[in-house]
Amino acid sequence: MSDTGPGQPRRDRRQVVKGAGVIGGVVVLLVGGGVIGWQAVSDRPSGGPVSAVQPGQDPSLDALAGAAVSGGPGKDGIPSIDLPRFVSARDAGFLADDEPVFGLEYRGEVRAYPQQVLVWHEIVNDTVGGEPLSVTYCPLTGTVIGLSAPPGVPELTFGTTGRLVNSNLLMYDRQTGSEWPQLLGTAISGPLKGTTLDTVPLVWTTWKQWRAVHPDTRVLSTDTGALRSYGSDPYGSYDSYPHRGGYYATGGPLFPVLARSDRFPDKEVVIGARVGREHLAIRKELVRRAKVVQATVAGTRIEARWDERLATARVFRQTGERWQPADHLDAMWFAWYAFYPNTQVRQ
C-alpha cells in the first residue's frame, strides 16, 4: 500500500488524471440470506501517530481546515450544475444499460443522476418536491449524497473551491462562503463553521436496474450548458458494483489524508452510517453476501439491507416501532477512515 500523508509532496490532479473539456475553443483539464449480528471494532491510524489526529478521536474542524490542499482546478473550475434539466427514461438514450447512476427517491419524486455527468460537475443544485437539495458527488472518494440547509439556516447553494480535504471535495456555499467537505457535511470554516447539513441518501445502481424498478424516473440531462466529454470518465471506469477500473480499482489516495488504516484496501467500498457522533463502516460486499447486517450505534438499532433489484445496500435505523432511512453513503474505505478514524467497523 502506498502511503500519502501530511508533509509529503502535493500532487495536482493534472499530473495524475487525464481528461479535457473544451470551452470556447480553449482546452481545459478538468476532473473535477442470513442475519449477521453486531460486533464493535475500532481501528487506529496505521504507520504510527498522525499529528493532526488525537488517538481515539476524529479530526477537529480546525485540523480539517488546516489539511485543505489544492486539487488543481481553481474555484468553480469544476462547474456546478445550477439549472439542471431532466428528461424521461425514454429520452435518456445517452445512457448504456450498465452505466452507473445515482438514484434518488425523495418527497414523492424519483430521479436518476448519471455518474457520467456528475463526474464532470460534482454538484447539482437542484429543487426536489419544492425544496432545495444539492446532489453532490466526489469521484476521488466514491461518495454521493444529497445535502440541504438544516432548520434555521437559509437556503444554501454550493460550488467547488478547487481544494480537497482528505482527498474529498471541499465545497463552499455561495451565501456565506463557508467551506464544507462533501463527505463530512459540516462546515469547517466561515460564518457557518460547525453547522451540519441535513442529508438525503442516494443509491449506486445501474441505469438498467434503476429503469426497471422506476420506469417513470426523470433523468439528469447532458444539456448542462457546459461542453464536456459526457460518456467518458477521466478517472477510469466505475461500472456496476463491484467492477471498477483505473483510479477506482487500486492504489491509494492521490492527495494527503489525516489518517490511514490497512484494515481494508484503500478503494474497498464500505457503507458508512452516522448516528449522532458515532460512526459505523460495513463492507458493502458483506451486505451483499449476508443480505442483512445488524448493528447498534449510539444506542440505536441499525440494519444494512441488500436490495437485490438494484444491487445496492440501504441502511435503516429503528425509531420506535418504525424503520426509517439512516444517514448513510457508499465511500472508499480510505476516505471514510480519514474523516472518522474512531469508526466502528463490520467486516
Side-chain angles (χ1 to χ4, degrees), residues 36-42 280-281 293-296 344-347:
I36 292 186
W38 163 247
Q39 179 182 359
V41 186
S42 183
L280 167 68
V293 178
Q294 296 179 332
T296 300
Q344 298 170 322
V345 177
R346 194 69 182 87
Q347 63 185 50

Side-chain angles (χ1 to χ4, degrees), residues 61 149-151 153 156 178 180 184-188 191-197:
L61 299 182
V153 175
L156 299 175
S178 301
W180 315 73
L184 188 70
T186 297
I188 60 174
L192 294 180
K193 180 180 178 181
T195 301
T196 298
L197 299 167

Side-chain angles (χ1 to χ4, degrees), residues 201-218:
L202 285 87
V203 297
W204 283 80
T205 186
T206 66
W207 171 231
K208 180 180 180 179
Q209 291 166 314
W210 184 257
R211 186 179 70 240
V213 176
H214 299 291
D216 295 328
T217 187
R218 304 294 289 174

Side-chain angles (χ1 to χ4, degrees), residues 4 36 47 61 88 113 141 145 175 203 221 238 245 251 253 279 283-284 342:
T4 305
I36 292 186
L61 299 182
S88 67
Y113 298 82
T141 54
I145 193 152
Q175 287 67 37
V203 297
S221 169
Y238 213 134
H279 312 100
R283 286 179 61 235
K284 191 170 187 177
N342 203 38

Side-chain angles (χ1 to χ4, degrees), residues 158-341:
F158 298 92
T160 60
T161 65
R163 293 182 294 138
L164 305 163
V165 175
N166 286 331
S167 211
N168 178 246
L169 162 66
L170 182 63
M171 314 181 302
Y172 75 96
D173 72 76
R174 297 191 176 116
Q175 287 67 37
T176 75
S178 301
E179 296 185 335
W180 315 73
Q182 179 251 5
L183 190 157
L184 188 70
T186 297
I188 60 174
S189 66
L192 294 180
K193 180 180 178 181
T195 301
T196 298
L197 299 167
D198 289 342
T199 63
V200 178
L202 285 87
V203 297
W204 283 80
T205 186
T206 66
W207 171 231
K208 180 180 180 179
Q209 291 166 314
W210 184 257
R211 186 179 70 240
V213 176
H214 299 291
D216 295 328
T217 187
R218 304 294 289 174
V219 185
L220 179 66
S221 169
T222 56
D223 182 10
T224 64
L227 186 59
R228 296 293 183 272
S229 298
Y230 301 122
S232 66
D233 189 330
Y235 297 89
S237 62
Y238 213 134
D239 298 328
S240 59
Y241 180 83
H243 307 294
R244 302 187 292 273
Y247 166 81
Y248 303 120
T250 59
L254 299 181
F255 297 88
V257 297
L258 288 172
R260 296 287 296 275
S261 167
D262 60 2
R263 174 174 289 275
F264 306 127
D266 283 320
K267 306 292 176 61
E268 179 85 14
V269 178
V270 299
I271 309 301
R274 298 177 283 217
V275 181
R277 294 182 177 273
E278 295 191 17
H279 312 100
L280 167 68
I282 310 172
R283 286 179 61 235
K284 191 170 187 177
E285 178 63 16
L286 174 64
V287 186
R288 187 190 68 81
R289 290 189 286 106
K291 307 308 179 190
V292 177
V293 178
Q294 296 179 332
T296 300
V297 183
T300 299
R301 288 186 61 195
I302 295 290
E303 281 192 1
R305 304 171 186 171
W306 188 254
D307 185 332
E308 290 286 359
R309 298 180 305 166
L310 297 176
T312 195
R314 302 175 185 264
V315 182
F316 298 86
R317 58 181 293 173
Q318 188 174 29
T319 304
E321 298 300 316
R322 300 178 60 190
W323 289 91
Q324 298 178 326
D327 177 10
H328 71 281
L329 74 168
D330 287 28
M332 295 178 185
W333 166 243
F334 84 81
W336 181 260
Y337 186 85
F339 281 101
Y340 304 121

